[in-house]
Amino acid sequence: MQTDSKLKQRKREDESGPALEAGDNLSIASLPTNLAINGGKPVRDTWLPYGHQVILDRDIEAVVSTLKSDWLTQGPAVKAFEKAIADYVGVRYAVAYSNGTSALHGAYFAAGIGEGDEIVTSAITFAATSNAALYLGARPVFADVAPLTGLIDPQSVEKQITAETKAIVGIDFAGQPCDYDELTAIAKKHGLPFIVDAAHSLGATYKGKAAGSQADMSTISFHPVKSITTGEGGMVLTNSKDYYEKLITFRTHGIVKDPAQLTALDAALDGPWYHEMQHLGFNYRMCDLQAALGESQMLSLNDFVQKRQSIAASYRKKLANSQYYQCAEVLPDRESSYHLFPIFVKVQPFGEKRKAVFEALHAENIGVQVHYIPTYKFPYYKALLGCDLSSQYPGTEEFYSREIGLPIFASMSEKDIDDVVAALEKIGLALLH
Ligand SMILES: Cc1ncc(COP(=O)(O)O)c(C=O)c1O
């Protein structure tokens, strides 16, 4: 660790250098050089989390009014929430699920993925993207990512396709849509469904069209740190009636009640209660309390996303001249919903420097996170795959070694942003040389 006198000397040396142009209203001369991790005063007294929900009074009223209604389980509020999302995104069908993980499970089931099949996906995502394939006896095969966006690389996807591949699964990492057009073209060429894990991207756009509207199926999560929340919750979006019908039965034990869908010829003989379990499904239903919260949160979605975008713009401006950090790229033909704001350390060796910066930021009360540990690095996956795949994915490895996710959520203040930037600059000055 740096001593105070070394830090002071470094500060003096740096006062004439480019690192001083940290951003608006911030001058290095005004920053304390004594890192909190070394016993100095933290940049802020209270913990700033990397994500947080925003719940308004009207959200609370919506839940309370549902509590007073006749329906608590899946009922009219779920239908209304599904319609609100389908209308917003511009898809024919939206099927609510109990969370984003079960939504992925449902989508993979609807796509016909089963025992011995493969999906091609990215390792820079939450484990659920791959786990849901394992639930069905299928195997995730990883494609590499672009190191400055974290988005799945279409060329790498194509190389991983085999006779066993049954779907391509892209991830709208951090809220930025993946390369829909290129991935759709590859999927079409190989006769595969293209599924998007859009857990991060409700409110984002790709070439002017809503994320969630352009794949064969897209899945969303309503976990509290996402664009809007239902506590726990998820949804699958599709324009296909066939997928829709499978998604509906899968979330309810595989049970069918619609007389038109029954297979038994003697159904009428049993009586009006007759229904059939046609395949093995689950109880993956969302309840009306969650949906009432979700429908009310939809009223805030545009505002929440705009706030995230303005926080991101502020970070970009303030870090534009940093010699220590660079911001993840967002490509010009898309608008991110900024579920996350990833930055990269610029100074080698990346792994060592990233760890030091991460620990120092936590000591300053800045709740950064690393998204994500590549899925293939988990002990469970190493055992399953029979080896450590790290050397096969240079883009993923570079991304993972450098990335830090800065706090971003709709109720962050300008002061919060300044605290993050001040802590980054203070730490950069001390540790990134
Ligand atoms: C990319 C991604 N996929 C899937 C999920 C799973 O969503 P849930 O937590 O709602 O099950 C998450 C949640 O964090 C996620 O970030």
Side-chain angles (χ1 to χ4, degrees):
M1 286 302 160
Q2 310 285 326
T3 63
D4 270 5
S5 64
K6 269 194 195 151
L7 290 178
K8 275 180 197 140
Q9 190 189 347
R10 184 152 285 158
K11 183 183 158 199
R12 270 199 303 278
E13 283 165 4
D14 279 352
E15 268 166 3
S16 57
L20 299 188
E21 299 158 22
D24 331 8
N25 311 321
L26 277 172
S27 89
I28 292 294
S30 69
L31 296 175
T33 53
N34 194 2
L35 300 187
I37 199 161
N38 290 340
K41 183 171 160 41
V43 157
R44 51 187 287 136
D45 296 332
T46 55
W47 180 252
L48 179 66
Y50 87 87
H52 200 275
Q53 70 275 17
V54 177
I55 302 290
L56 305 181
D57 286 347
R58 68 174 173 227
D59 300 329
I60 294 167
E61 282 156 22
V63 176
V64 170
S65 115
T66 305
L67 269 172
K68 291 178 182 166
S69 77
D70 289 335
W71 284 96
L72 296 186
T73 56
Q74 185 177 285
V78 168
K79 270 209 170 348
F81 182 38
E82 288 174 336
K83 182 167 175 356
I85 296 269
D87 289 350
Y88 180 90
V89 172
V91 287
R92 227 170 281 154
Y93 306 106
V95 184
Y97 269 70
S98 52
N99 52 58
T101 306
S102 58
L104 281 162
H105 192 185
Y108 295 171
F109 170 83
I113 294 164
E115 205 65 40
D117 294 337
E118 293 176 358
I119 63 160
V120 178
T121 191
S122 150
I124 295 297
T125 178
F126 188 55
T129 316
S130 289
N131 291 353
L134 299 180
Y135 300 161
L136 292 160
R139 208 171 74 93
V141 174
F142 298 104
D144 209 358
V145 303
L148 292 181
T149 61
L151 295 179
I152 194 165
D153 171 1
Q155 285 184 351
S156 174
V157 167
E158 187 145 33
K159 284 190 198 131
Q160 300 294 358
I161 292 173
T162 68
E164 271 65 60
T165 309
K166 288 294 173 317
I168 294 172
V169 182
I171 291 99
D172 290 346
F173 172 73
Q176 173 168 211
C178 54
D179 298 315
Y180 293 167
D181 283 355
E182 291 81 353
L183 293 164
T184 300
I186 295 168
K188 281 214 167 94
K189 182 172 148 195
H190 294 271
L192 299 169
F194 171 44
I195 299 171
V196 171
D197 181 341
H200 297 181
S201 61
L202 183 62
T205 62
Y206 175 88
K207 299 190 179 171
K209 282 164 75 184
S213 67
Q214 291 163 71
D216 294 302
M217 279 181 276
S218 304
T219 63
I220 319 181
S221 162
F222 303 114
H223 179 278
V225 294
K226 302 298 194 306
S227 300
I228 60 162
T229 189
T230 59
E232 295 278 2
M235 210 170 272
V236 188
L237 311 178
T238 185
N239 285 316
S240 154
K241 187 156 188 280
D242 178 45
Y243 288 151
Y244 169 71
E245 284 169 356
K246 292 188 169 107
L247 290 163
I248 291 283
T249 54
F250 191 71
R251 75 172 172 189
T252 311
H253 308 278
I255 288 174
V256 168
K257 289 185 181 157
D258 178 356
Q261 291 183 305
L262 299 177
T263 57
L265 294 174
D266 59 352
L269 298 180
D270 275 15
W273 61 85
Y274 186 78
H275 56 264
E276 284 177 353
M277 187 187 135
Q278 294 183 343
H279 58 77
L280 187 60
F282 292 77
N283 179 354
Y284 276 164
R285 292 185 298 265
M286 177 181 277
C287 79
D288 264 27
L289 298 178
Q290 294 163 297
L293 175 57
E295 195 192 358
S296 176
Q297 287 257 299
M298 278 302 284
L299 302 173
S300 306
L301 175 61
N302 285 339
D303 182 39
F304 287 172
V305 171
Q306 274 161 21
K307 289 210 169 110
R308 285 174 179 273
Q309 288 172 340
S310 113
I311 294 163
S314 197
Y315 274 142
R316 283 191 192 284
K317 200 164 157 207
K318 290 172 197 285
L319 294 171
N321 297 316
S322 173
Q323 67 188 63
Y324 313 120
Y325 313 101
Q326 76 188 92
C327 301
E329 287 177 356
V330 169
L331 301 165
D333 57 358
R334 52 206 92 173
E335 278 181 10
S336 177
S337 56
Y338 283 108
H339 165 57
L340 304 171
F341 192 83
I343 61 163
F344 305 107
V345 293
K346 276 166 115 172
V347 180
Q348 300 263 18
F350 293 145
E352 191 184 296
K353 297 292 185 187
R354 190 269 303 274
K355 181 164 181 270
V357 171
F358 183 97
E359 288 171 346
L361 282 166
H362 273 214
E364 303 290 342
N365 277 325
I366 307 296
V368 289
Q369 258 299 357
V370 169
H371 298 97
Y372 289 95
I373 300 169
T375 311
Y376 56 73
K377 285 188 184 288
F378 290 125
Y380 182 84
Y381 275 88
K382 276 191 191 159
L384 189 85
L385 302 165
C387 60
D388 180 351
L389 295 179
S390 307
S391 63
Q392 295 181 28
Y393 300 107
T396 305
E397 289 295 308
E398 183 187 328
F399 177 93
Y400 174 58
S401 68
R402 303 174 68 191
E403 195 262 356
I404 296 177
L406 301 187
I408 190 162
F409 50 93
S411 59
M412 260 178 87
S413 66
E414 205 56 39
K415 157 88 169 61
D416 293 333
I417 300 168
D418 283 344
D419 286 347
V420 176
V421 176
L424 282 169
E425 286 298 325
K426 171 185 172 186
I427 291 163
L429 195 58
L431 302 180
L432 295 182
H433 286 277

